[in-house]
Amino acid sequence: PMKKLIFNDTKKSFSYQESIKICYEVINHNYENFPIYMFFLNKDIMNDFASIYAFSRGVDFIGDELKSNEVSEGLRVWKSELDLAFNGNPSNPIFIALSKTIRKYKLEITPFKRLIKANEMDQSITKYNSWKDIFLYCDHSANPVGEIVLKILGYTEKSNVEFSNKICTALQITNFIQDIKIDHDKNRTYIPQSLLEKHDLDFSIINTVNKNNNNFLIKFDNLIFDLARENQKLYDEGRNLIKNISKKHAIIINIFILSGQTILDKIKNQKSNILFNKPRTNKFEKLYIIMKATALVLIKR
């Protein structure tokens, strides 16, 4: 169903209403750590977020889920429709919805291109040596989404973009940690090789590890400690963004931060158990995150 949703080849022309409906179907079809529906947002801005999400999730699906011989054609379609969304008449409903958002906020094409570039990098790069390399990847795979969201909310100051980048990189790294096993199955490791060497860890056996492999699990616990510490630093630095924006917008950003923080806290508690039970947030936790994010902003400001 996801493939059909993002490559809608019905040859019909879609209205904006039909197109935005498909963007919401993409949302409904995917699990995220954070709540995507924010009921306190007005419908128009929620539609804009839906079109951005559908674009981003679509390009990730192409890079991660398509068969290897379909990826380059999928990315070509995405690039071509993106150009049309900025300069012509796109035919893909996700891009028809996106083109309205682009015009409304005078968005630039560069962040969107960087998101596509991240998925091109995934086709040839399977390992990253250092944190610096990981951060460069995140600057393509995650930070552009924050830049686009900030622009939609009306903030373009360099310092705010830098704080946003810290938050987006933090969210991405939390994702990398919780998906270590899934990514390994795709022959990718988004954990610095220097850290694996430091902890003398060989990920090639990760799929056969069970709860009796004490030696591996102790080393893995120590790896998690290092990963979580670096990850936590990014959330703590990124949080400064909340002080610089309106209360309503601070709540939105805080929801993203607390969603990532909730998963990171689960990772810190579970340590090597994440290999056997991937940490997730359920609907009740997501509702609690929205309430907590709201309360923190209203009380502390």
Side-chain angles (χ1 to χ4, degrees):
M2 185 63 182
K3 190 176 175 183
K4 273 191 176 163
L5 276 178
I6 69 167
F7 296 116
N8 205 300
D9 52 7
T10 51
K11 302 284 182 259
K12 62 168 275 191
S13 55
F14 291 84
S15 68
Y16 175 77
Q17 283 310 322
E18 289 169 319
S19 299
I20 202 67
K21 191 169 169 242
I22 287 170
C23 293
Y24 280 105
E25 283 178 44
V26 172
I27 290 177
N28 292 333
H29 201 73
N30 288 278
Y31 163 84
E32 297 292 348
N33 290 332
F34 48 85
I36 302 172
Y37 290 113
M38 300 196 189
F39 50 78
F40 54 86
L41 291 179
N42 72 45
K43 188 82 171 90
D44 279 354
I45 201 164
M46 190 58 234
N47 285 350
D48 294 321
F49 282 172
S51 73
I52 301 294
Y53 177 83
F55 168 85
S56 308
R57 186 64 200 94
V59 72
D60 281 350
F61 177 84
I62 293 167
D64 292 343
E65 312 293 336
L66 283 187
K67 292 176 184 151
S68 53
N69 62 338
E70 298 175 322
V71 174
S72 61
E73 173 58 15
L75 291 174
R76 188 201 63 73
V77 169
W78 229 241
K79 281 180 185 170
S80 153
E81 286 289 315
L82 180 64
D83 284 335
L84 290 171
F86 273 87
N87 308 307
N89 290 307
S91 59
N92 182 304
I94 288 172
F95 290 86
I96 291 168
L98 184 64
S99 64
K100 183 174 178 180
T101 302
I102 287 164
R103 287 195 305 274
K104 191 163 147 192
Y105 299 102
K106 298 183 173 62
L107 298 178
E108 291 170 13
I109 198 167
T110 317
F112 295 95
K113 282 187 166 174
R114 274 163 48 216
L115 289 167
I116 294 174
K117 174 75 177 164
N119 284 276
E120 288 176 331
M121 290 163 77
D122 279 335
Q123 306 317 306
S124 56
I125 305 170
T126 58
K127 292 176 179 171
Y128 295 83
N129 289 323
S130 64
W131 277 118
K132 189 182 170 190
D133 298 329
I134 297 276
F135 294 154
L136 181 65
Y137 175 77
C138 292
D139 197 48
H140 290 81
S141 70
N143 299 356
V145 178
E147 289 170 32
I148 295 164
V149 167
L150 271 191
K151 182 84 194 282
I152 287 174
L153 299 180
Y155 305 97
T156 52
E157 303 83 355
K158 192 164 179 280
S159 60
N160 285 336
V161 171
E162 282 169 7
F163 289 138
S164 164
N165 287 347
K166 300 271 187 193
I167 295 166
C168 292
T169 294
L171 289 166
Q172 179 74 94
I173 288 169
T174 302
N175 230 33
F176 289 158
I177 302 171
Q178 75 175 131
D179 283 348
I180 281 175
K181 216 167 173 179
I182 293 166
D183 290 331
H184 185 265
D185 287 342
K186 296 174 186 166
N187 191 31
R188 295 182 198 156
T189 304
Y190 297 103
I191 307 299
Q193 293 297 304
S194 55
L195 265 189
L196 297 187
E197 286 163 20
K198 175 188 168 185
H199 293 289
D200 188 27
L201 269 169
D202 175 12
F203 270 8
S204 68
I205 62 162
I206 207 163
N207 287 332
T208 59
V209 167
N210 60 42
K211 295 191 177 181
N212 297 323
N213 290 98
N214 279 340
N215 189 30
F216 184 95
L217 297 179
I218 289 165
K219 290 176 183 177
F220 195 86
D221 284 348
N222 294 331
L223 171 72
I224 291 291
F225 179 83
D226 275 0
L227 289 170
R229 186 177 53 194
E230 192 69 39
N231 202 175
Q232 188 62 61
K233 237 190 299 182
L234 290 161
Y235 282 117
D236 294 344
E237 289 167 10
R239 251 186 208 97
N240 288 305
L241 177 61
I242 289 171
K243 302 172 197 160
N244 298 349
I245 58 182
S246 74
K247 280 187 181 180
K248 184 180 176 183
H249 296 152
I251 291 167
I252 297 169
I253 303 302
N254 212 15
I255 285 168
F256 288 113
I257 294 172
L258 286 180
S259 299
Q261 185 71 62
T262 301
I263 294 288
L264 182 58
D265 289 343
K266 287 178 187 242
I267 289 167
K268 287 177 185 173
N269 289 330
Q270 289 175 227
K271 300 189 185 75
S272 53
N273 278 322
I274 68 166
L275 293 172
F276 313 109
N277 291 301
K278 178 179 165 175
R280 295 167 84 97
T281 45
N282 59 39
K283 282 181 184 173
F284 294 110
E285 286 173 308
K286 286 175 181 172
L287 187 60
Y288 175 73
I289 284 165
I290 291 177
M291 289 157 58
K292 185 178 175 184
T294 307
L296 282 173
V297 168
L298 298 180
I299 291 162
K300 285 193 175 178
R301 296 196 30 155

